[in-house]
Amino acid sequence: MSLLPQQLAAVIRGGITAAQAAGELPAFALPPLRIDRPKRPEMGDYASAAALQINKQVGKPPLEVAKIIAARLPTSELIDSVEVVPPGFINIRLSEAWLRMQVEHLIAAGDRAFQSSDAAGRTAQVEYVSANPTGPLSVHRIRGGVLGDTVANLLEVIGYTVTREYYFNDAGQQMNKLGESVRARYLEILGQDAAFPEGGYKGLYIRMIAATIYAFKGDSLRDASGDQFRQIAATAIIERIKLSMRRVNIRHNLFFNESSLYSENAVWDTVQALRDRGYAYDQDGAVWFKSSALGDEKDRVIVKRTGDPTYRLPDMAYHKNKLDRGFDLVVDVFGADHAATAPQVLLGVRALGYDPSTVRTIIHQMVELVEGGESRRMSTRRGDFVELDELIDDVGADAVRFFMLAQSPNTAMNFDVDLARSQGDENPVYRIQSAHVRCAGIMRKAAEKGLDDEGADLNHLGAEELKFLRKIIEIPEMIERAISDMSPQAAAFFALDLAGAFHPLYDRVRVLSDQEGIPLEIQKARLRFYRACKVVFKRLLSLMGMSAPEVMERREDSGKNKAEAETVEE
RNA sequence: GCCCCUGUAGCUCAGAGGAUAGAGCGACGGUCUUCUAAACCGCAGGUCAGAGGUUCGAAUCCUCUCAGGGGCACCA
């Protein structure tokens, strides 16, 4: 089923073609017709500016054109009435009967509410987090994780089969440094002098890994290579990263090993493919990607004089691999620190002969934690970064999910730790979850009193409930738009908005308790309505990877458990 | 120097070429004590950084200027 605005646009188009057939409008090719949602309620639920779009071709004033179209509109079960207003808008009011019916549809759909099959049969791959396993997951990285995971959720709602993927960077210089760093700490434990590698990793976790190795293996790795230490360390760290991600409901279907690109020759095949297509050449002992031919400011090295690839080459080979797997859509989530590579990867995709529009990227800006009006800055290399686990301990997983989502990826994030930690209504997380809790409370109370809403007559719903339903039915449009614009934050803002509309409604539209007593039929209809609301809030929360609590339950004083913060060495 | 992102209410931020630019927090004023996650109602608050341009119509698209952030390796 297509989206509501599309259905309404079809109705408008029907009016125009009918008027053309009747000779009231000249024949011409119609532009795509947009349906807007007016800001003010008296302008109706939806509006078409079609008359303003086409009045030039018609050669009549837009108001007159609008009147002609409106008079020729085909009947639709969606529409209650239309109104033509200057300068030529056609305002549409939705059918209330149709709106009431949505309550039953929502309840019937339950956890699959808003599930569509628009993209059924299509496959998508979403790559996110992909942090090098050189240390614990940082707060900055998880922003991309939350954005990517939410995009994946949204894609599934419209019918995509989604592969959630982590590009596991288990090769390369940084990983070698990791191995050498652990080796040096291990030898320290054995009482040997070991040169700590330049630019090595100095966090406490390196010592802990070394100590664990010693605990299990004693001094048997005395003569082991850095490579062996690298493998042990990478495994330990990736497991820890997985645990951290799981705490915020992030799971991947596939950890793609960078090393497989080498073992399967994909990297060198990619170089050859570029050569074959005339996009690679040798110069100064290196192999260059002729990206300037595709608009880049200069060509880029893909194989160093040493014979080692630069980071670009495996990135391109990885994308070649993704596209060869036949995905209809590939989504990359990068942090601002990698922003420069994204366009180059896309050039690579083009150079290799793939359609670059298959690949969408989300590039998010940095995260800054703000606490007590001061920022806690972070840098992975120095080691004074804030770990995700520390933040989760502090503010809770749901708050991390929500706050990381609820900002446009393009803006540098100020993560308000004090607000995220607070347990009152000023915290948007509580605001949204409490809407669900309140619905659940009504259900519980009604069940205790034996009130049954099965077969309720929804004609007893009032104007406020209908207004709320009008908001709910925007959700499919919101999802569609979040995907087409790659703006998953829309889900967070929508949920907050909906909760904001819910609480006043809850206050006025009572089901059970009221001094004057509420007639049974109205109680039933309202209970039915709140049952649908509960479905909606639960669904929105799960889309955002958040929990939907049934009862009020304040977190224990999480407080500031920072005793175990890592000491930093320089 | 070049590239990317940002500049909208006191603060944090939404905003889709359409009608009188929105939310939350904070401020101010008033109800209420709950189907218990203390709420509800009202009010104030704006040169959409600035200047040009495109358009019937611009916070939104284009150009320039100013300010802030990030990035510019044969590092990843």
Side-chain angles (χ1 to χ4, degrees):
Chain A
M1 191 183 74
S2 60
L3 294 174
L4 191 50
Q6 290 166 9
Q7 295 179 54
L8 295 172
V11 173
I12 297 288
R13 190 175 300 113
I16 295 173
T17 50
Q20 287 175 324
E24 293 166 356
L25 292 177
F28 57 88
L30 283 181
L33 298 178
R34 294 202 22 226
I35 296 289
D36 298 306
R37 191 173 276 274
K39 288 176 184 147
R40 302 165 61 77
E42 62 270 25
M43 296 168 175
D45 300 315
Y46 286 88
S48 166
L52 294 138
Q53 283 181 275
I54 65 171
N55 79 81
K56 266 189 181 165
Q57 290 151 86
V58 171
K60 290 181 180 170
L63 190 62
E64 194 178 325
V65 176
K67 282 178 181 165
I68 292 170
I69 297 169
R72 290 286 178 182
L73 288 184
T75 56
S76 162
E77 60 149 5
L78 297 171
I79 297 175
D80 181 60
S81 62
V82 296
E83 188 185 7
V84 174
V85 290
F89 291 102
I90 301 171
N91 293 339
I92 299 168
R93 207 163 289 278
L94 288 175
S95 151
E96 294 192 350
W98 182 84
L99 270 175
R100 292 177 212 275
M101 258 165 46
Q102 303 315 306
V103 170
E104 293 300 336
H105 289 160
L106 288 166
I107 293 169
D111 287 344
R112 290 178 58 81
F114 310 111
Q115 180 70 42
S116 90
S117 51
D118 291 350
R122 290 170 62 82
T123 58
Q125 188 259 15
V126 186
E127 182 212 329
Y128 50 103
V129 187
S130 298
N132 284 2
T134 54
L137 209 49
S138 75
V139 165
H140 174 66
R141 279 295 183 164
I142 209 62
R143 183 178 185 185
V146 168
L147 291 168
D149 191 62
T150 307
V151 165
N153 290 345
L154 294 171
L155 288 170
E156 282 176 350
V157 173
I158 67 164
Y160 274 97
T161 300
V162 179
T163 300
R164 296 153 189 260
E165 203 157 313
Y166 188 119
Y167 182 55
F168 181 37
N169 214 315
D170 58 346
Q173 272 306 309
Q174 297 305 317
M175 292 307 291
N176 291 339
K177 286 210 170 117
L178 174 74
E180 291 300 336
S181 304
V182 173
R183 180 163 172 271
R185 294 307 188 207
Y186 174 77
L187 293 178
E188 261 178 46
I189 294 171
L190 298 186
Q192 296 186 9
D193 254 355
F196 196 80
E198 188 146 338
Y201 293 89
K202 295 185 171 176
L204 181 62
Y205 61 92
I206 298 292
R207 289 179 188 278
M208 290 172 69
I209 291 168
T212 307
I213 293 172
Y214 178 72
F216 282 91
K217 304 268 184 178
D219 65 355
S220 64
L221 294 184
R222 181 181 297 272
D223 300 315
S225 66
D227 209 47
Q228 277 174 276
F229 283 96
R230 174 180 62 83
Q231 285 178 23
I232 296 170
T235 306
I237 291 173
I238 198 71
E239 286 309 316
R240 180 169 169 183
I241 288 175
K242 283 182 191 175
L243 284 174
S244 299
M245 291 194 299
R246 214 161 288 165
R247 294 183 71 189
V248 287
N249 278 323
I250 292 179
R251 284 189 171 79
H252 294 82
N253 318 104
L254 181 61
F255 283 74
F256 188 97
N257 291 335
E258 182 189 358
S259 56
S260 71
L261 294 170
Y262 294 91
S263 62
E264 288 160 27
N265 262 334
V267 159
W268 308 114
D269 291 348
T270 301
V271 175
Q272 192 55 47
L274 287 171
R275 283 189 201 275
D276 292 345
R277 300 179 61 83
Y279 283 108
Y281 63 92
D282 298 283
Q283 189 182 309
D284 304 331
V287 184
W288 295 71
F289 172 37
K290 203 169 168 184
S291 53
S292 62
L294 295 167
D296 200 0
E297 55 191 21
K298 61 179 181 186
D299 292 347
R300 311 284 176 173
V301 171
I302 50 176
V303 182
K304 297 182 238 178
R305 210 172 313 175
T306 60
D308 296 319
T310 65
Y311 66 92
R312 294 183 193 95
L313 181 53
D315 279 356
M316 285 183 210
Y318 178 41
H319 279 77
K320 181 175 185 300
N321 174 287
K322 292 187 195 195
L323 292 161
D324 285 341
R325 279 186 269 162
F327 292 110
D328 298 299
L329 174 67
V330 167
V331 181
D332 293 335
V333 183
F334 295 120
D337 46 342
H338 287 224
T341 75
Q344 289 175 19
V345 168
L346 288 180
L347 291 182
V349 166
R350 272 172 64 193
L352 289 164
Y354 298 91
D355 177 3
S357 70
T358 308
V359 181
R360 303 287 309 270
T361 56
I362 294 179
I363 296 171
H364 67 85
Q365 302 298 307
M366 308 301 256
V367 175
E368 196 168 320
L369 298 186
V370 180
E371 185 169 15
E374 286 180 22
S375 73
R376 285 153 63 180
R377 302 219 61 166
M378 60 213 81
S379 143
T380 314
R381 296 270 158 98
R382 279 210 317 277
D384 61 342
F385 62 97
V386 179
E387 288 180 29
L388 172 62
D389 284 325
E390 193 191 329
L391 184 65
I392 298 173
D393 292 341
D394 194 344
V395 305
D398 286 332
V400 171
R401 281 295 302 223
F402 184 81
F403 278 75
M404 287 293 177
L405 180 65
Q407 212 154 104
S408 161
N410 288 336
T411 58
M413 172 178 290
N414 293 304
F415 190 110
D416 187 336
V417 179
D418 300 307
L419 180 62
R421 189 165 44 221
S422 72
Q423 308 203 17
D425 200 58
E426 70 277 8
N427 185 342
V429 173
Y430 281 72
R431 224 179 151 68
I432 297 165
Q433 290 182 326
S434 79
H436 184 265
V437 167
R438 285 179 148 181
C439 291
I442 297 172
M443 299 300 118
R444 255 195 324 276
K445 203 88 173 187
E448 280 169 24
K449 294 198 175 185
L451 181 65
D452 179 15
D453 58 338
E454 202 64 45
D457 179 0
L458 295 171
N459 286 310
H460 289 106
L461 294 181
E464 295 218 58
E465 296 93 300
L466 291 178
K467 187 177 168 199
F468 194 73
L469 285 170
R470 285 186 171 91
K471 183 93 188 152
I472 287 174
I473 59 164
E474 287 180 45
I475 289 174
E477 298 160 46
M478 178 274 288
I479 291 171
E480 185 69 36
R481 178 153 208 99
I483 290 169
S484 65
D485 292 354
M486 285 289 139
S487 56
Q489 74 274 18
F493 290 113
F494 189 94
L496 190 55
D497 233 36
L498 195 68
F502 177 83
H503 291 295
L505 175 82
Y506 170 90
D507 196 62
R508 282 191 294 267
V509 181
R510 321 288 289 178
V511 176
L512 298 165
S513 71
D514 192 291
Q515 281 150 8
E516 284 146 39
I518 303 167
L520 185 63
E521 285 310 304
I522 294 181
Q523 287 191 344
K524 284 186 169 189
R526 289 179 178 175
L527 182 58
R528 199 77 184 148
F529 167 76
Y530 282 114
R531 191 178 295 283
C533 291
K534 182 168 184 287
V535 165
V536 171
F537 281 112
K538 186 174 181 193
R539 188 70 163 126
L540 287 174
L541 285 164
S542 80
L543 276 178
M544 295 190 286
M546 297 165 66
S547 66
E550 293 284 321
V551 288
M552 170 270 249
E553 192 176 297
R554 290 186 185 271
R555 284 186 319 120
E556 320 213 335
D557 213 297
S558 59
K560 307 177 178 177
N561 236 342
K562 286 164 203 154
E564 281 144 55
E566 295 188 358
T567 50
V568 180
E569 300 175 36
E570 276 302 324

